[in-house]
Amino acid sequence: MTGQRRQPRSRPETLARRRDILDAAVETFGSKGFAAGTLQDIADQVGMTHAGILHHFGSKDQLLIEVLQHRDDTDVADLEGQHIPDGMPLFRHLVRTAFVNAHRAGIVQAYAVLSAESVTDGHPGRPFFEKRYRTLRAEVAHAFEVVCAERGITEPATVDLACASILAVMDGLQVQWLLDPTAVDLARASEFAIEAIVSAVLSPQPSPLAEPASSAHN
Amino acid sequence: MTGQRRQPRSRPETLARRRDILDAAVETFGSKGFAAGTLQDIADQVGMTHAGILHHFGSKDQLLIEVLQHRDDTDVADLEGQHIPDGMPLFRHLVRTAFVNAHRAGIVQAYAVLSAESVTDGHPGRPFFEKRYRTLRAEVAHAFEVVCAERGITEPATVDLACASILAVMDGLQVQWLLDPTAVDLARASEFAIEAIVSAVLSPQPSPLAEPASSAHN
DNA sequence: ATCAACTTACAATCAAGTAAGTAACTTTTG
DNA sequence: CAAAAGTTACTTACTTGATTGTAAGTTGAT
């Protein structure tokens, strides 16, 4: 839990090697978790010793941090050019993401496992996930503001609840889907839930849970 | 990963000791995860050696299994007498559970961490969580059937999607809440999302995500 | 006297990290 | 432009410290 290097990082071949290691680490941390996944596992995948990996990343903690950062960069790069969508297109984008994810169990599992593991004591991924959720909630909140403005709706107080809820369903469905892919339709369930939540913000219904208000005797 | 005993388990004092261990294990596995939480941690909490714990439970894997089973039993015991609710009361019960959970970060964290960790390779908690979600989804599905029948609604195709979604939001919100309790209102967000999803099943709205259907040129 | 509930002691791994060495490549310099 | 010097990308070997599990012994209760 000490070392760190990293300053010149020039050679293109070296960068490629680092990427190989990062990819192997996603695979390993995804399938075993951070605590149970070992540097040996990762080293084997890229054909070097565990000391070789420490040469590149300094420590296991640092490797995890760079893994998380790297994936974020990659995902952003995917929608390079297409600026990050906003307003209603953001919600469509989230649904599309769910459909894409249904074919990428590996990455989905890595995020599902690591995000939950990150709440444990002293987990090195915790700051990343705290920030990630804060950012994502803010982006979704902004999309809601835009959509509400478009429709002349005074922005409802439920927006904050809805932002967290949308991210939450997506994550929660992933766990259930990973446990039993035949029992849960990740893409369609995500779509359904996102639509339900967006609808609830834009055109609130009376709570279906309300007690029948003393309908009869007793 | 071998041994197992367990046959007479008679003395009442012994049972109490086992419960102490189980409680300590919930605490440890909750705060560190199963892979990172050690028998030593647990042993320290109850004032014995790690070998003492193995005497009672045979192996770490077995201990986890019994921890999960034990909590399930306890929770069921809590609503003993009050049969498990059904129909609309089930949804109200889920919301109430969210409110209760907002004051029990310890148990919430244990479930959040362990359920996600259980999707990893060879995790001993996996069968438990597979079964748990299967059962819970079926219970929620049944509640939907009852509610639909009450209102003369032909049971919509969205029920299966909604069941998984309701459990998913609850779980997903817990993770966000554990990461930053000030940013997420666990109870109110759960309530909001559950109401939104139930509404979407009972009185479906047109999808708010639908493209504006070629509103203008281009 | 027996058995349950432990403890002590140990076995067998195994993991992260460090240190030092080596081969290849890059840069500096005369 | 070639030789020297330095740097990078590793490996081997080792340290340190944990961790689960086992075996055998001890003590107190029934």
Side-chain angles (χ1 to χ4, degrees):
Chain A
M1 269 58 171
T2 5
Q4 89 263 47
R5 281 101 228 249
R6 202 73 2 61
Q7 61 272 33
R9 195 185 314 165
S10 33
R11 285 245 306 297
E13 220 189 4
T14 301
L15 277 162
R17 207 88 178 88
R18 281 174 59 89
R19 253 202 310 282
D20 289 348
I21 296 171
L22 290 170
D23 288 344
V26 170
E27 155 72 24
T28 293
F29 292 151
S31 61
K32 310 209 182 182
F34 174 72
T38 69
L39 295 178
Q40 191 65 251
D41 283 336
I42 298 164
D44 289 348
Q45 282 180 74
V46 295
M48 63 167 79
T49 63
H50 87 274
I53 287 172
L54 290 171
H55 166 74
H56 283 287
F57 293 93
S59 74
K60 192 188 179 188
D61 280 17
Q62 187 59 31
L63 173 59
L64 177 68
I65 290 167
E66 300 211 27
V67 162
L68 294 171
Q69 192 51 56
H70 171 64
R71 275 246 63 87
D72 242 29
D73 294 349
T74 304
D75 288 356
V76 167
D78 277 358
L79 43 117
E80 200 63 62
Q82 312 130 64
H83 51 62
I84 317 95
D86 200 355
M88 204 53 95
L90 173 64
F91 298 109
R92 282 192 280 267
H93 170 72
L94 293 177
V95 171
R96 249 195 325 272
T97 301
F99 275 85
V100 171
N101 282 344
H103 301 283
R104 301 193 306 180
I107 295 112
V108 167
Q109 180 159 327
Y111 268 95
V113 169
L114 294 174
S115 64
E117 196 177 1
S118 79
V119 311
T120 58
D121 292 354
H123 195 284
R126 181 161 187 154
F128 174 86
F129 283 106
E130 276 178 17
K131 182 174 172 193
R132 177 164 204 260
Y133 283 113
R134 207 178 330 121
T135 305
L136 290 173
R137 280 191 303 257
E139 278 174 17
V140 176
H142 189 258
F144 269 124
E145 282 163 33
V146 169
V147 170
C148 287
E150 277 171 13
R151 319 198 165 190
I153 300 173
T154 65
E155 197 200 316
T158 54
V159 166
D160 284 347
L161 305 176
C163 297
S165 298
I166 284 175
L167 302 177
V169 237
M170 295 183 73
D171 289 352
L173 286 169
Q174 288 171 6
V175 172
Q176 288 181 60
W177 174 71
L178 289 165
L179 283 171
D180 187 353
T182 69
V184 176
D185 186 330
L186 178 63
R188 293 209 308 132
S190 301
E191 180 177 42
F192 167 78
I194 291 171
E195 286 178 355
I197 292 167
V198 172
S199 281
V201 171
L202 298 183
S203 35
Q205 303 279 118
S207 168
L209 306 188
E211 296 276 354
S214 79
S215 57
H217 50 260
N218 200 335
Chain B
M1 270 59 171
T2 5
Q4 91 263 44
R5 279 101 228 250
R6 199 75 4 59
Q7 62 275 30
R9 195 185 317 162
S10 31
R11 287 243 308 294
E13 220 189 2
T14 301
L15 277 162
R17 208 85 177 91
R18 281 175 59 89
R19 252 203 310 283
D20 289 346
I21 296 171
L22 290 171
D23 288 344
V26 170
E27 154 72 24
T28 293
F29 292 152
S31 61
K32 311 209 181 181
F34 174 72
T38 70
L39 295 178
Q40 191 64 254
D41 283 335
I42 298 163
D44 289 349
Q45 282 180 74
V46 295
M48 63 167 80
T49 63
H50 86 273
I53 288 172
L54 290 172
H55 167 74
H56 284 289
F57 294 94
S59 75
K60 192 188 180 188
D61 280 18
Q62 187 59 30
L63 173 60
L64 176 68
I65 290 167
E66 300 210 26
V67 162
L68 295 171
Q69 191 52 54
H70 171 65
R71 275 247 63 86
D72 241 31
D73 294 349
T74 304
D75 288 356
V76 168
D78 277 359
L79 43 117
E80 201 62 61
Q82 312 132 62
H83 50 61
I84 316 95
D86 200 355
M88 204 53 94
L90 172 64
F91 297 109
R92 281 192 281 267
H93 170 71
L94 293 177
V95 171
R96 249 195 326 273
T97 302
F99 274 85
V100 171
N101 282 344
H103 301 283
R104 301 193 306 178
I107 296 113
V108 167
Q109 181 160 326
Y111 267 96
V113 169
L114 294 174
S115 63
E117 195 178 2
S118 78
V119 311
T120 58
D121 292 353
H123 195 285
R126 181 159 189 156
F128 174 86
F129 283 106
E130 276 177 18
K131 181 173 172 194
R132 178 165 204 260
Y133 282 113
R134 207 178 330 120
T135 304
L136 290 174
R137 280 191 302 257
E139 277 174 18
V140 177
H142 189 258
F144 269 123
E145 281 162 33
V146 169
V147 170
C148 288
E150 275 170 14
R151 320 198 164 191
I153 299 173
T154 64
E155 197 201 316
T158 55
V159 166
D160 284 347
L161 304 177
C163 297
S165 296
I166 284 176
L167 302 176
V169 238
M170 296 183 72
D171 290 351
L173 285 169
Q174 288 172 4
V175 172
Q176 288 181 58
W177 174 72
L178 290 165
L179 283 171
D180 186 353
T182 70
V184 176
D185 186 331
L186 178 63
R188 293 210 307 133
S190 301
E191 180 177 44
F192 167 79
I194 290 170
E195 286 179 354
I197 292 167
V198 172
S199 281
V201 171
L202 298 183
S203 37
Q205 303 279 119
S207 168
L209 305 188
E211 295 278 353
S214 77
S215 59
H217 50 260
N218 203 332

